[in-house]
Amino acid sequence: MTERVIAVTGGHGVLGQAVVEAALAQGCKVAVIDHASGHPVPEGVLELGGVDLTDAAAAKTAIDGVVARFGRLDALLNIAGGFVWQTADDADPAWERMFRLNLTTALNASRAALPHLKASSEGRIVNVGANAAIRSAAGMGAYAASKAGVHRLTESLAEELKDTSVTVNAVLPSILDTAQNRKDMPDADPAKWVQPSDLAAVMLFLASPAARAVTGALIPVTGKV
């Protein structure tokens, strides 16, 4: 992985930070693309904050900025997204918002990155789907539907790119062990959850040359849940 250039959307979040840390440890050059801005990043990391990835032009500008800095792009890790729990009869439905945050961001970033990834000898896209999108539960409809869209995007892009060196895969995590999830679910056992560092390791494998034979895969990363 040494010297590979990796762009991480949503890089300021808990999972994004874990991916950035692991990628740097493997010798990668890393760019963080996030709607948030002003967050500290490790030395050498390109930070592109204030980027609205639901806007295709903004996504292209950000990806082009990564290539301008590092000269190329080898992998795109689409982590940007959001979550809301609500029932279908909620007065302020979040379905459109979930699709924009989870699916549109991944689509726009991928479309912007594709010309550069095709130019790489080992181009990679790694998306973040959700185990909850395999079989949904009460209050999870909007989130699960948007993540199911990410699954289908992953599969269709993989098929479209089979004549290139670019692979497209997705990880399907269950509950991540984060401070917010511990606060929201105080009675749960976080020992059964997925550590962000463990999910980051799977994503970076899929972003590596070693994963050249894997494409169109939806890989559950569910801990012991």
Side-chain angles (χ1 to χ4, degrees):
M1 290 284 279
T2 301
E3 297 298 306
R4 280 175 66 78
V5 177
I6 294 181
V8 183
T9 74
H12 287 319
V14 174
L15 176 58
Q17 291 178 46
V19 167
V20 169
E21 180 180 345
L24 290 173
Q26 294 185 21
C28 300
K29 297 178 179 178
V30 181
V32 167
I33 302 172
D34 206 299
H35 190 266
S37 60
H39 291 249
V41 295
E43 184 178 355
V45 172
L46 172 63
E47 195 254 347
L48 297 170
V51 180
D52 179 7
L53 289 172
T54 67
D55 181 279
K60 184 179 185 305
T61 297
I63 294 294
D64 288 348
V66 176
V67 176
R69 168 69 176 272
F70 295 117
R72 68 178 195 276
L73 179 65
D74 298 304
L76 170 68
L77 278 61
N78 282 314
I79 300 175
F83 172 81
V84 66
W85 188 99
Q86 67 169 207
T87 56
D89 62 354
D90 191 279
D92 183 23
W95 289 69
E96 181 178 351
R97 178 157 55 96
M98 285 292 93
F99 271 85
R100 286 177 60 81
L101 288 176
N102 292 321
L103 179 57
T104 304
T105 56
L107 173 62
N108 285 343
S110 297
R111 283 169 52 86
L114 275 176
H116 308 293
L117 295 175
K118 288 178 180 178
S120 169
S121 61
E122 298 282 359
R124 303 283 182 264
I125 296 175
V126 184
N127 295 322
V128 178
N131 191 58
I134 300 298
R135 181 174 178 83
S136 192
M140 298 287 283
Y143 173 76
S146 68
K147 286 297 190 178
V150 173
H151 298 180
R152 302 293 83 80
L153 171 65
T154 299
E155 293 168 333
S156 62
L157 263 182
E159 288 296 318
E160 292 168 15
L161 295 169
K162 277 193 171 178
D163 291 335
T164 75
S165 67
V166 182
T167 66
V168 189
N169 296 288
V171 291
L172 279 55
S174 55
I175 302 171
L176 290 182
D177 186 3
T178 67
Q180 186 62 53
N181 282 337
R182 288 188 179 218
K183 179 181 178 181
D184 292 342
M185 294 174 276
D187 297 327
D189 180 6
K192 296 182 178 180
W193 297 348
V194 176
Q195 294 299 315
S197 59
D198 290 334
L199 183 56
V202 178
M203 295 183 70
L204 287 175
F205 166 72
L206 293 172
S208 75
R212 64 177 59 89
V214 184
T215 194
L218 307 176
I219 299 177
V221 186
T222 57
K224 299 178 180 179
V225 174

